[in-house]
Amino acid sequence: QAMEKSRPLWDNPLQFVFACISYAVGLGNVWRFPYLCQMYGGGGFLIPYFIMLIIEGMPLLYLELAVGQRMRQGSIGAWKIISPYLCGVGMFSVFIFIFKCPGNTGNLPWLFWGFSPHVPPSQDPLPWATCPLNSNHTGYEEECEKTSSTQYFWYRQTLNISPSLEASGSVQWEQALCLTLAWLVVYLCILRGTESTGKVVYVTASLPYCVLIVYLIRGLTLHGAVNGLVYMFTPKLEQLSNPKAWISAATQIFFSLGLGFGSLIAFASYNKPSNNCERHAIIVSLINSTTSVFASIVTFSIYGFKATFNYESCINKMILLLMNTFDLEEGSVTADNLSEMKGYLMATHPQEYAQLSPQLRNCSLQAELDTAVQGTGLAFIVYSEAIKNMEVPQLFLKSPKSFSVPWPPRVPLWPQLEQGISDVLPEGSACPWEILPSLHSVVCLINCVIGLIFTMEAGNYWFDIFNDYAATLSLLLIVLVEAIAVCYIYGIRRFEKDLHTMIGRKPNWYWKIMWAFASPLLIISLFIFYLTDYILTGKLQYQAWDATQGQLVTMDYPGYALAVIGLLVVASTMCIPLGALLTFVRKRLKRESVST
């Protein structure tokens, strides 16, 4: 039977909705969603994203909330009630939690170090407003001249990034101290336990929207913002045949909603049994996806300004170069006739033009939109660009940290851990809650030590590995097992009766079709497409910063990085078969002991 909670965590249903939003809304919406939009062709990513929201996101969020609310236990205990052989599903969620914790907090040191020590409150101009002078004070730093002042500040002064994963470098003590500070903040947030969670969710859920609105107002007033928005909403239909775009859309839905981590099940277990989890699943899904699109509009408006500025700067440099080289009259070369003048000068002055050709560039707004900003630094670079162009930038200097605020109080991850302890204890025994502060301190310390890898010069590349592979295929597998377990092991009709008992009505045909057929089949198809694509390409690649070119270049992962990726995937996925095997062996031994 379901175990009743001795003390509800939520004072009212609205608080639960705010908690889910606080859990979901964060850097995943602010940088990961716009980054995927840019990677897969703007509107070409929005199409699979909203298809995944309808087929995967809302149905599976409803399923997890209903399972937690009905079983009244955490992830491990809830799936053990459905079937003892599914205890590995809950352990799977705990492993994903362990693997994702270092990555989720890995970007906080960059925020603390990038925006605090470098920038006194009164500094004007901001350090990323212009390129720094070289050591001889005869010009600007060569690397900065080849890119932009904002990107230089991010990649060189904040990350001090290495040219490749192999050149790992040493731990940078400034970032290491900031990492320690970040985990200290996390520990203080969870020190009082889960009962303090409900007190802060109103603030943590609302604050990112206030910051985004400020950036939206400024972003839409910047020159070239429309170019970024057109780029965002114009689909590249060829991306619809790219299986990686669909897999990225599915995992973005799982990441942003928190599906498969077990935290939502633990969260919902504190609800009243009569709570309308169907309505809450719809509300949270729509708010979360709207937030992602809203954050992308903000990002791409600033992104369009940056690309337009780079494009116009390129045009002006080419015009000035041609006028000075060929002694042309001022105004004879414009942006409109630049291509014609190049052709004319190449025909009339072939030798001079040939000598000049290495310095000439083909300026393209589309190329700038495709390559202006990439990678995990998208939000940091773009929003820093927005701060630079505000009237009083110092007032907004600390606001990038606001996007990291939702994570430390993302205490739904910690109730999952606490529930896991309770679930694995023998039946009838009480959880020694007095050990939780010590447990939290140990977990925070371990994650802080693991996170030191992100403070190395190659830390950004390791961050990408944890972000891309620690819970990508694993999430697809776990939600597939969850849907199959509820529909075909627990039974869809039995689950219908449970929902009728809780909310007073049975689920309609949409929910049942999605749970039983559409969602599992789509996830299986994604697995097949991903494996097929990997077999055809045969390699995994990453984006590395090339200081000599001032841009990102594509490189192959070295062998030891591939081993880490394999370990991250296998370590969590093996929990399900190992859990079933251990349950089978335990039952077999128990039967043999009874028979003897």
Side-chain angles (χ1 to χ4, degrees), residues 12-65:
N12 53 70
L14 181 62
Q15 195 176 68
F16 172 71
V17 173
F18 267 82
C20 290
I21 295 172
S22 175
Y23 172 43
V25 174
L27 283 172
N29 302 81
V30 174
W31 79 258
R32 195 174 191 273
F33 184 86
Y35 166 57
L36 293 174
C37 271
Q38 197 251 2
M39 177 179 288
Y40 296 110
F45 179 75
L46 294 178
I47 295 173
Y49 175 80
F50 283 108
I51 291 176
M52 290 297 177
L53 174 66
I54 295 172
I55 299 179
E56 305 283 358
M58 284 195 293
L60 295 175
L61 178 60
Y62 183 17
L63 184 144
E64 286 203 357
L65 294 181

Side-chain angles (χ1 to χ4, degrees), residues 227-248:
N227 294 328
L229 297 178
V230 170
Y231 180 86
M232 173 185 171
F233 289 105
T234 302
K236 294 182 179 179
L237 297 180
E238 64 271 14
Q239 290 293 340
L240 296 179
S241 61
N242 184 358
K244 292 183 179 179
W246 291 88
I247 293 172
S248 297

Side-chain angles (χ1 to χ4, degrees), residues 94 97-98 101 183 186-187 190-191 193-194 413-425 431-448:
V94 173
F97 159 73
I98 294 172
C101 266
W183 275 107
V186 172
Y187 176 71
I190 62 175
L191 184 60
T194 56
L413 290 172
W414 297 91
Q416 173 196 354
L417 189 61
E418 297 170 6
Q419 285 285 359
I421 299 173
S422 178
D423 294 343
V424 298
L425 289 175
C431 179
W433 300 109
E434 62 273 7
I435 72 169
L436 288 180
S438 299
L439 174 67
H440 290 158
S441 62
V442 171
V443 173
C444 289
L445 179 61
I446 293 174
N447 279 284
C448 184

Side-chain angles (χ1 to χ4, degrees), residues 287-303:
I287 291 177
N288 181 269
S289 297
T290 303
T291 301
S292 295
V293 176
F294 176 51
S296 294
I297 291 174
V298 178
T299 302
F300 275 87
S301 63
I302 306 169
Y303 179 53

Side-chain angles (χ1 to χ4, degrees), residues 390-409:
M390 288 181 174
E391 297 298 330
V392 189
Q394 287 75 16
L395 292 178
F396 301 92
L397 183 59
K398 310 304 177 186
S399 43
K401 290 191 185 66
S402 302
F403 298 115
S404 64
V405 169
W407 195 87

Side-chain angles (χ1 to χ4, degrees), residues 316 319-320 322-324 327-338 341:
N316 293 332
I319 291 175
L320 184 62
L322 292 176
M323 291 179 61
N324 291 338
D327 196 21
L328 302 175
E329 294 183 4
E330 186 174 353
S332 60
V333 184
T334 64
D336 296 330
N337 68 356
L338 180 60
M341 286 298 296

Side-chain angles (χ1 to χ4, degrees), residues 164-207:
S164 67
L165 192 59
E166 290 91 336
S168 58
S170 58
V171 173
Q172 303 176 78
W173 67 267
E174 302 95 341
Q175 294 186 24
L177 290 177
C178 292
L179 176 71
T180 305
L181 174 62
W183 275 107
L184 179 62
V185 171
V186 172
Y187 176 71
L188 293 177
C189 287
I190 62 175
L191 184 60
R192 295 181 58 191
T194 56
E195 67 272 9
S196 63
T197 305
K199 311 299 188 299
V200 298
V201 293
Y202 294 115
V203 176
T204 58
S206 305
L207 185 57

Side-chain angles (χ1 to χ4, degrees), residues 294-356:
F294 176 51
S296 294
I297 291 174
V298 178
T299 302
F300 275 87
S301 63
I302 306 169
Y303 179 53
F305 157 75
K306 182 175 177 59
T308 302
F309 176 81
N310 291 342
Y311 167 69
E312 293 179 349
S313 297
C314 176
I315 291 290
N316 293 332
K317 287 180 180 178
M318 294 303 101
I319 291 175
L320 184 62
L321 182 63
L322 292 176
M323 291 179 61
N324 291 338
T325 303
F326 296 99
D327 196 21
L328 302 175
E329 294 183 4
E330 186 174 353
S332 60
V333 184
T334 64
D336 296 330
N337 68 356
L338 180 60
S339 298
E340 290 80 1
M341 286 298 296
K342 283 184 178 181
Y344 171 76
L345 293 172
M346 184 171 59
T348 56
H349 303 81
Q351 293 183 352
E352 294 89 339
Y353 192 90
Q355 294 176 354
L356 188 66

